[in-house]
Amino acid sequence: MSGDLIAFGDPADWSSRSIDIETAKKWGFTRSEYKGEVVRVFNYKNLSGRVVAQKVRFKGKDFRFVGNTKECGLFGMHLWRDGGKRVVVTEGEIDAMSVSKAQNHKWPVVSIPTGAQGAKKALQKNLDWLQKFEEVVLMFDMDEPGQAAIEECVTLFAPGTCKVAKLPLKDANEMIKDDQYKELIDCIWEAKTYRPDGIVGVDDILDDVLKPVEWGLPWCFDPLTQATYGRRWGEIAGLGAGTGVGKTDFLTQQIAFDIEELQQKVGVVFLEQKPVETSKRIAGKIAGKMFHLPEGEWDPEELKRAVADLRGKLFMYDNFGQTDWDIVKVQIRYMAVSLGCRIIYLDHLTALADTGDEKGSLEQIMKEMAMLAEELNIHITYVSHLTTPDGKPHEEGGRVTIRHFKGSRAIGFWSYFMFGMERDQQAEDEEERQTTTFRVLKDRYTGQSTGLTFKLKYDRQSGRLSVKDDDDFHNKGDDEDIDTEDGGDF
């Protein structure tokens, strides 16, 4: 025995950890004394069966390694022949002994000497021995350090040879302490071949693939629902129009529809409109009254009844003029996670851009917004301001194209749908002044509705928009300006 090693002591069970005497003898787990203190000893042997190092456990979960740690391999390597069908690797010695006990000590299992923080280095050192097995099953602790260590260690092995076991409890020892022996064995057999995040096979998503395709949430206008098959969670849609063309009317009517007809909770981030006005406008869409104007045929009781429909369903960001995206995205997350709002409206995107680098900042904002929608499984509709067109101004009915959106390359790349609204506010004919063309500029879902339009008429008494004369979509041809400002497809 090396002078650095302490007296081996005798094999001893550990009842509080469900380790019996048979397991202790198999694994050379002993109880001894060190400087007058009772300690538990994990004896590390080389492949010749000679003890070369010891991990000594003191009271209070304090550990100390003694002996020749450079010669120290994986805990338990000496118990098994080289190679075979499968070897399980745990994060700690007690876990390895637990798995061994569950398998009646018949099948190979070893442990990392230094825990999660030294896992990759320990496996690298013993990679030749591990690669002699057809499968290596990593059964690390289910806490954050253990799972992070798995991400590091799986890269050591050839594709298809490394599997990852998932446990319902923290670790293997917790499983046998809870008398879940069968479940622990099942976790070994059910271990999944490791894939990097984002890689899935058909088997992984088969149930979802076989589900019938369903319509998404409807829009407030039926032609738009029919053309887009509704709104799906995880998508973002953009709306662009000139100043005063009717973006706010469209959004508030859509919000009222979501709340009243669909009974959805809605989150609203209007950066240039105070929540009081927003609430009155949305309540007005429900009641058919112009509550936000100082004149009109309505009384306070009508307003009170309409606002009551919004309680518990409408949540707004109250910080007028605050245009920091890092703050706004926190508000969106809070609305979705804490308040249960799965439909979000943002007006307007352009205000969030960095004036010093509008293009670059919009690219980052669009990317983060799209990822946020997918992560939280919500739907976001945003408004974008437009650049000045070369021809007829948008306020005089000039056609909206994708290239008119500020930051069009990023907007076009990340948006599932893009819409434009066109209205000639200067037309001599009253009906023409109150008629808006609603245009689909981009349809990522099917591509079939790109270029389609329908007409909306505005009722000055109720403040509501409606499809003109039950107008359906008309095919105006694909958007000839589908290129972005930077050129290229998206």
Side-chain angles (χ1 to χ4, degrees):
M1 181 177 69
S2 169
D4 293 332
L5 300 175
I6 69 172
F8 294 156
D10 298 317
D13 64 356
W14 196 350
S15 59
S16 65
R17 305 296 291 268
S18 295
I19 300 299
D20 56 21
I21 191 65
E22 179 186 0
T23 302
K25 289 179 179 179
K26 172 75 174 179
W27 284 77
F29 175 59
T30 61
R31 185 162 51 194
S32 185
E33 286 191 9
Y34 181 74
K35 296 184 179 180
E37 182 178 349
V38 176
V39 294
R40 295 185 181 274
V41 183
F42 302 97
N43 291 289
Y44 276 76
K45 299 181 180 181
N46 60 18
L47 295 181
S48 301
R50 181 171 62 88
V51 176
V52 294
Q54 296 169 314
K55 181 185 280 189
V56 183
R57 188 185 193 276
F58 298 84
K59 290 183 179 180
K61 297 185 178 180
D62 291 331
F63 291 93
R64 182 182 305 171
F65 249 117
V66 297
N68 185 1
T69 56
K70 291 184 178 180
E71 195 178 344
C72 175
L74 299 174
F75 184 62
M77 276 178 58
H78 67 283
L79 296 174
W80 320 106
R81 65 183 177 87
D82 287 353
K85 174 67 177 175
R86 177 191 300 114
V87 61
V88 177
V89 182
T90 68
E91 189 178 317
E93 294 88 354
I94 288 291
D95 294 321
M97 294 161 63
S98 300
V99 173
S100 184
K101 180 184 177 184
Q103 297 182 119
N104 293 317
H105 310 297
K106 292 182 178 179
W107 310 110
V109 53
V110 292
S111 168
I112 295 161
T114 52
Q117 70 276 11
K120 184 175 182 180
K121 186 175 181 180
L123 296 190
Q124 282 177 317
K125 179 180 176 182
N126 297 280
L127 196 57
D128 287 345
W129 186 81
L130 291 169
Q131 288 179 333
K132 294 176 182 177
F133 291 87
E134 295 178 28
E135 291 180 3
V136 176
V137 177
L138 302 183
M139 185 183 282
F140 291 3
D141 292 1
M142 297 303 295
D143 56 15
E144 185 175 342
Q147 296 307 295
I150 282 178
E151 295 293 327
E152 293 183 343
C153 293
V154 291
T155 59
L156 298 173
F157 302 95
T161 63
C162 182
K163 293 188 174 183
V164 177
K166 297 294 184 181
L167 303 175
L169 301 180
K170 177 182 177 292
D171 54 40
N173 187 244
E174 291 291 324
M175 297 284 289
I176 69 166
K177 284 168 58 179
D178 198 46
D179 203 30
Q180 295 191 37
Y181 289 87
K182 179 183 179 300
E183 291 81 358
L184 181 57
I185 298 300
D186 289 343
C187 289
I188 297 174
W189 286 97
E190 294 170 2
K192 303 295 185 183
T193 302
Y194 171 80
R195 292 193 191 97
D197 287 344
I199 305 299
V200 297
V202 172
D203 288 345
D204 300 314
I205 58 173
L206 186 59
D207 290 343
D208 290 332
V209 171
L210 297 179
K211 286 180 181 178
V213 179
E214 298 180 352
W215 283 75
L217 285 178
W219 297 92
C220 59
F221 301 117
D222 187 62
L224 186 55
T225 301
Q226 296 298 319
T228 62
Y229 296 96
R231 296 167 287 171
R232 284 150 295 279
W233 303 125
E235 294 182 352
I236 61 174
L239 174 67
T243 303
V245 170
K247 300 184 297 294
T248 300
D249 272 313
F250 174 81
L251 289 186
T252 51
Q253 187 158 330
Q254 183 63 60
I255 293 167
F257 176 84
D258 293 338
I259 292 172
E260 186 182 31
E261 299 296 329
L262 304 184
Q263 294 295 301
Q264 291 283 330
K265 291 183 178 182
V266 178
V268 174
V269 181
F270 282 3
L271 300 175
E272 296 180 348
Q273 184 170 286
K274 296 292 287 182
V276 169
E277 181 182 348
T278 302
S279 299
K280 287 184 175 182
R281 284 178 176 271
I282 296 171
K285 295 294 186 179
I286 292 175
K289 302 288 183 176
M290 306 285 274
F291 292 136
H292 65 291
L293 298 182
E295 59 182 13
E297 298 179 358
W298 57 272
D299 59 57
E301 285 301 314
E302 288 179 303
L303 173 60
K304 187 175 182 179
R305 286 194 298 270
V307 171
D309 290 340
L310 307 180
R311 298 180 65 181
K313 295 188 180 69
L314 176 63
F315 300 91
M316 293 163 286
Y317 176 46
D318 184 13
N319 200 341
F320 183 77
Q322 174 55 257
T323 59
D324 188 329
W325 167 244
D326 287 335
I327 294 175
V328 168
K329 68 182 178 183
V330 170
Q331 307 304 318
I332 293 175
R333 180 179 292 278
Y334 177 79
M335 288 175 174
V337 175
S338 299
L339 301 178
C341 301
R342 299 193 68 189
I343 303 177
I344 304 291
Y345 292 91
L346 171 62
D347 185 7
H348 54 93
L349 176 69
T350 321
L352 298 172
D354 182 352
T355 55
D357 181 17
E358 185 176 74
K359 176 183 168 184
S361 61
L362 282 174
E363 287 180 353
Q364 185 64 27
I365 290 169
M366 286 302 302
K367 176 181 178 181
E368 292 185 13
M369 187 191 304
M371 294 173 67
L372 196 64
E374 183 173 357
E375 175 200 345
L376 300 176
N377 202 28
I378 60 178
H379 187 278
I380 300 176
T381 301
Y382 66 88
V383 168
S384 173
H385 281 190
L386 305 177
T387 59
T388 302
D390 294 332
K392 182 187 294 186
H394 295 122
E395 292 74 20
E396 296 180 15
R399 179 175 172 181
V400 177
T401 69
I402 289 177
R403 69 170 61 250
H404 293 153
F405 283 66
K406 292 189 175 182
S408 62
R409 180 178 180 83
I411 289 175
F413 182 83
W414 292 106
S415 299
Y416 281 79
F417 284 91
M418 295 177 67
F419 307 123
M421 295 177 67
E422 303 155 4
R423 180 165 64 91
D424 186 355
Q425 304 171 56
Q426 306 301 317
E428 294 184 5
D429 181 73
E430 171 69 15
E431 182 176 352
E432 185 178 352
R433 285 202 305 272
Q434 303 301 329
T435 300
T436 300
T437 298
F438 193 97
R439 185 182 304 276
V440 179
L441 301 172
K442 178 190 177 184
D443 172 2
R444 176 182 289 179
Y445 188 55
T446 67
Q448 297 175 5
S449 68
T450 300
L452 298 180
T453 67
F454 69 102
K455 302 289 187 182
L456 293 173
K457 61 181 180 180
Y458 180 73
D459 182 3
R460 299 185 66 179
Q461 297 300 314
S462 67
R464 288 171 172 163
L465 295 165
S466 61
V467 179
K468 186 175 182 180
D469 300 324
D470 296 324
D471 192 19
D472 289 327
F473 266 108
H474 298 289
N475 192 340
K476 299 299 183 183
D478 291 341
D479 185 354
E480 72 268 18
D481 291 311
I482 198 166
D483 288 347
T484 67
E485 61 187 18
D486 299 315
D489 295 333
F490 52 82

